[in-house]
Amino acid sequence: MAISLYDMSVPTYLQTLGAVSGFLEKGLAHCGECNVQPGEVVEHRLFQDMAPFSFQIRSVAHHSAGAMEALKSGVSNPPGRSEPLDYADLQRLVTDARTRLEALKPDEVNALEGKDVAFQFGETRLPFTAENFILSFSLPNFHFHATTAYDILRSRGVPVGKRDYMGRLRIKR
């Protein structure tokens, strides 16, 4: 059985984005319970040379809904570091990414199969096909940043576990 571009990407993004949304909720609740300002979490880093929580969540949105936009345009760029966002803004980024992905139709995504997509960063240009962009660049980045965001919350004492990270499994019905 062949797997389509849509099937290998959109449902996977949605599963993990649902999980990210859930652990963001738990993180906010934990802040309230522990009398911690959510802004402390937004700027928290696991190590000084790593990007903060806010960048991890931006990257989750960028490497999911943004990746699908890159398939359409043929170009992907790094997420960049735009204006500061608070905790609620980060939650909205995840909600927006989910909404954008839920709006995609399988035929619309599958029509992009085999299309050229390039990741551009300064003078560096990495050429991909749509499938290889998703499988070897977008999904690994997406999961790296989702995991790092989860780990930051764990490091701050938020009571989340593997089931929170896994999200809603796509089990056989």
Side-chain angles (χ1 to χ4, degrees):
M1 174 180 118
I3 185 165
S4 71
L5 184 59
Y6 179 90
D7 292 335
M8 75 170 72
S9 59
V10 175
T12 300
Y13 291 135
L14 288 172
Q15 178 180 338
T16 300
L17 284 168
V20 170
S21 182
F23 65 66
L24 282 170
E25 283 294 326
K26 285 189 173 189
L28 188 58
H30 183 74
C31 286
E33 293 163 8
C34 297
N35 201 26
V36 170
Q37 292 299 313
E40 290 179 34
V41 175
V42 169
E43 293 308 315
H44 190 83
R45 302 164 189 260
L46 290 175
F47 294 95
Q48 196 55 38
D49 67 346
M50 289 180 74
F53 184 75
S54 59
F55 182 80
Q56 306 306 327
I57 298 298
R58 273 185 218 269
S59 296
V60 165
H62 179 78
H63 287 291
S64 58
M68 302 314 290
E69 291 302 317
L71 293 185
K72 293 175 187 176
S73 72
V75 177
S76 175
N77 301 102
R81 298 179 193 267
S82 59
E83 75 286 343
L85 300 176
D86 64 18
Y87 202 96
D89 292 330
L90 297 176
Q91 290 179 295
R92 277 190 290 279
L93 273 180
V94 172
T95 299
D96 179 59
R98 289 175 72 185
T99 300
R100 290 167 47 202
L101 288 165
E102 287 168 345
L104 294 173
K105 304 291 184 248
D107 289 344
E108 173 187 3
V109 174
N110 293 336
L112 302 169
E113 288 179 10
K115 184 174 180 197
D116 288 338
V117 181
F119 174 73
Q120 291 185 193
F121 180 64
E123 297 298 314
T124 302
R125 186 178 193 299
L126 303 175
F128 297 95
T129 62
E131 296 84 348
N132 286 333
F133 174 76
I134 295 298
L135 290 172
S136 72
F137 186 79
S138 174
L139 282 171
N141 271 287
F142 173 72
H143 287 296
F144 172 84
H145 292 291
T147 300
T148 304
Y150 168 91
D151 291 342
I152 289 171
L153 290 179
R154 282 287 307 218
S155 78
R156 298 210 42 110
V158 176
V160 291
K162 184 176 180 178
R163 292 180 76 181
D164 296 297
Y165 181 84
M166 296 292 292
R168 186 170 184 217
L169 302 178
R170 295 171 288 181
I171 59 174
K172 183 178 178 180
R173 300 265 179 223

